[in-house]
Amino acid sequence: MQNNYGNLIKVERLRRNMKQSVLARGICSISYLSKIENNQTIPSEEVLELLFRKLDLDIPLYVTVTEAEIEKIKVEISRLMKEAVLSRDLNETADNLKKIERYKKDHRIYKHKPLYILMLLVLARFDFMPGGKQGYLTELEWLQDQFTSEDRIRFNILKALKSFSLNDKDTALDLMQQVREDLDTTYLEEWEIADINYIIGGMYYKYTDYLQTIEHVNRALSYFKDNFYVERVIECHLIIGLAFKRRKRFNEALANYQKAIKAAGATDLKGYYGMLYNNTGEIYSLQGNRELALEYFLKGLEYKVESKSKLLSILSLIEEYSIRGSSQEVLDWVEKGEKIIQEEGENDDLSEFIYHFGVFRNKYTHGNSKELIESLKKAVQYFESSDDYHYTNKYALWLARELRENGKYKLSTEYYEKSIAIMSRWD
């Protein structure tokens, strides 16, 4: 059985931000401690006891563990992880996390290196679910020289997610490319490969690489369909539909939304209706079908519960009425949206709508004026800083036109160039 006490000592020492010289003092040499931490030597029980005592670790040295026990724990941890990843039930996910965290007190795990690393990887994956704190990724950094090829894939996709959350695009893309290459020769289970493809597809969508989005999410969709994970099927069709919409392939987008609506209806997952109806309305709007667009936007709003979700539907209605030139309807919906924001108080998650509504309020209150230009500038700055390329492009184009009409040709050109750069990236 592979020794793991060195990993345990190393992780606990680094958690405490303790230098090797401090831990080794009075127990052993620094070089000997380094060998212990790198599992290059198995120390005596006396040395282990002294190191554990200094680290306040209550780890019995005489626990016996069989390969059958280890396999049973491995299967259980993997099962809990699979259920949490494939389910969209937050309560079930929280319960599964608690069950896995109990293993942190199971001394058998600390004697087995592969199982110990698996536990940390699984806990790190939970950290990227709602409510996660992303603490275990740092601990895994300290042990990555001992990873198997499968451990490396799991670790790299989590690092990509971390980089993604920090807007470090280059690092995220490099890690995703490495994961894609490694997946071709991996022995990971099908469900985990599907989940990784789903994650990669979602990140590619954020980075406006819609062909890669469709490719990877379709791979995930195949597994989810075959194994009747309906919520994941709905999510896949939604993302694929969004990617097709960005590529202006509206019929394919609409087909995916309709498949998602059908799946939601068959299983009574009405919580998805608001989002799906709203996205369907967007396609009809892009196709110029004004009546169906409004119908679906309003249907979507009926199913919305959360404030941000409601505001997204309201923004769609504002944009649709703006296309029609219905100024009073635009201002009425802007007022309804601003009221929701006021009721929520300070909520950074709703900040984007302040800029959206500000643009339309100034447009239909002041016309083509300096107030509109200033609100457009603020909107471009905000959405560019948020890496929201769609709305950066939308408002940059609008601003360029307003500046040109006001005789500010040089500044207008700058915003046209910004828009062209974004669109060329999409192409």
Side-chain angles (χ1 to χ4, degrees):
M1 186 174 297
Q2 299 181 57
N3 173 51
N4 186 61
Y5 286 142
N7 288 337
L8 183 59
I9 290 166
K10 182 178 184 179
V11 167
E12 192 59 37
R13 177 180 64 78
L14 290 171
R15 275 180 186 161
R16 296 166 180 267
N17 199 25
M18 183 187 292
K19 293 182 178 179
Q20 283 185 326
S21 58
V22 175
L23 178 57
R25 189 178 301 136
I27 301 175
C28 62
S29 67
I30 297 173
S31 61
Y32 188 63
L33 174 59
S34 181
K35 287 182 178 180
I36 293 172
E37 289 189 345
N38 292 316
N39 293 313
Q40 294 173 346
T41 187
I42 300 176
S44 67
E45 292 178 356
E46 180 183 2
V47 169
L48 279 176
E49 286 178 346
L50 289 170
L51 292 172
F52 286 167
R53 191 179 306 160
K54 202 163 187 177
L55 291 168
D56 293 325
L57 287 173
D58 182 21
I59 306 293
L61 296 175
Y62 309 105
V63 173
T64 58
V65 54
T66 66
E67 290 292 344
E69 289 177 291
I70 291 298
E71 184 62 24
K72 183 178 179 181
I73 295 171
K74 178 183 176 182
V75 169
E76 175 66 4
I77 289 176
S78 299
R79 180 186 66 80
L80 292 169
M81 181 74 260
K82 179 181 179 181
E83 288 178 359
V85 166
L86 297 181
S87 169
R88 283 299 184 254
D89 187 319
L90 295 181
N91 292 327
E92 182 180 344
T93 297
D95 288 343
N96 285 7
L97 175 57
K98 288 178 182 177
K99 290 175 183 176
I100 290 175
E101 285 182 326
R102 292 192 192 114
Y103 282 110
K104 290 166 64 178
K105 298 179 181 180
D106 191 326
H107 297 143
R108 294 173 298 177
I109 285 179
Y110 296 114
K111 295 194 72 171
H112 192 269
K113 183 173 74 175
L115 189 56
Y116 178 68
I117 291 174
L118 174 64
M119 180 184 71
L120 291 180
L121 283 165
V122 168
L123 288 169
R125 180 67 178 86
F126 270 97
D127 278 347
F128 286 91
M129 296 181 191
K133 299 177 182 178
Q134 301 182 18
Y136 292 101
L137 203 57
T138 301
E139 297 177 11
L140 286 161
E141 292 268 6
W142 304 329
L143 304 178
Q144 56 181 307
D145 60 319
Q146 300 176 54
F147 287 169
T148 64
S149 58
E150 282 71 35
D151 293 336
R152 178 69 55 188
I153 292 172
R154 295 178 179 120
F155 179 67
N156 281 341
I157 197 65
L158 294 177
K159 279 184 67 179
L161 279 170
K162 180 69 173 181
S163 300
F164 177 79
S165 70
L166 297 173
N167 291 323
D168 184 354
K169 179 180 178 181
D170 291 338
T171 301
L173 286 171
D174 287 344
L175 288 163
M176 285 157 59
Q177 180 61 36
Q178 185 62 56
V179 170
R180 289 174 61 196
E181 293 172 3
D182 293 341
L183 277 178
D184 292 335
T185 57
T186 185
Y187 292 100
L188 292 175
E189 292 186 52
E190 283 187 87
W191 72 266
E192 199 166 0
I193 294 173
D195 181 55
I196 289 171
N197 274 306
Y198 177 85
I199 292 170
I200 291 174
M203 286 193 281
Y204 273 127
Y205 179 80
K206 175 68 173 179
Y207 294 139
T208 70
D209 190 336
Y210 302 124
L211 281 173
Q212 294 282 7
T213 298
I214 294 166
E215 177 186 340
H216 285 280
V217 178
N218 259 321
R219 292 178 186 174
L221 175 60
S222 178
Y223 174 84
F224 297 144
K225 283 172 63 178
D226 290 345
N227 293 274
F228 306 104
Y229 291 106
V230 181
E231 290 187 71
R232 302 304 301 271
V233 168
I234 293 170
E235 291 173 4
C236 286
H237 279 306
L238 179 60
I239 294 174
I240 293 168
L242 288 168
F244 274 126
K245 182 185 77 172
R246 295 292 188 228
R247 299 197 73 230
K248 303 187 186 306
R249 293 171 59 177
F250 301 134
N251 288 334
E252 288 96 328
L254 194 58
N256 274 277
Y257 295 152
Q258 289 171 343
K259 288 176 183 177
I261 290 171
K262 184 178 179 180
T267 50
D268 201 31
L269 291 169
K270 294 182 179 180
Y272 287 95
Y273 281 170
M275 187 190 315
L276 293 170
Y277 285 147
N278 201 77
N279 280 283
T280 301
E282 286 185 2
I283 298 300
Y284 284 127
S285 177
L286 290 165
Q287 291 179 328
N289 194 327
R290 308 266 77 92
E291 295 306 318
L292 274 179
L294 283 175
E295 178 185 333
Y296 274 91
F297 289 147
L298 290 168
K299 282 175 68 175
L301 184 57
E302 289 177 13
Y303 285 93
K304 299 292 183 75
V305 177
E306 296 178 353
S307 294
K308 184 173 183 177
S309 188
K310 289 180 179 179
L311 291 172
L312 285 167
S313 284
I314 288 173
L315 177 60
S316 295
L317 286 161
I318 289 169
E319 290 174 333
E320 185 61 29
Y321 278 118
S322 178
I323 292 170
R324 290 182 168 209
S326 304
S327 58
Q328 190 55 54
E329 283 82 356
V330 169
L331 291 171
D332 286 346
W333 283 105
V334 166
E335 185 175 343
K336 291 175 184 177
E338 290 174 339
K339 185 178 179 181
I340 291 174
I341 295 173
Q342 290 170 2
E343 290 171 350
E344 284 290 319
E346 294 185 10
N347 186 344
D348 291 339
D349 203 32
L350 305 182
S351 297
E352 64 178 283
F353 298 100
I354 295 172
Y355 297 93
H356 287 308
F357 298 158
V359 166
F360 285 99
R361 178 172 285 285
N362 281 317
K363 166 66 179 175
Y364 288 96
T365 301
H366 303 290
N368 299 334
S369 63
K370 63 179 182 180
E371 288 88 354
L372 174 59
I373 288 173
E374 284 306 309
S375 61
L376 283 167
K377 285 181 180 178
K378 289 177 182 178
V380 170
Q381 184 179 19
Y382 173 82
F383 290 108
E384 189 170 28
S385 68
S386 302
D387 288 332
D388 187 327
Y389 304 111
H390 172 67
Y391 278 110
T392 301
N393 178 59
K394 177 185 175 74
Y395 291 128
L397 268 176
W398 188 346
L399 178 56
R401 290 193 294 267
E402 295 296 333
L403 289 167
R404 185 184 61 193
E405 290 178 11
N406 281 270
K408 298 181 179 180
Y409 301 112
K410 183 178 180 181
L411 191 55
S412 172
T413 300
E414 290 180 15
Y415 283 99
Y416 273 126
E417 288 175 349
K418 187 185 294 290
S419 173
I420 291 167
I422 292 172
M423 289 189 285
S424 65
R425 190 181 310 157
W426 289 344
D427 293 339

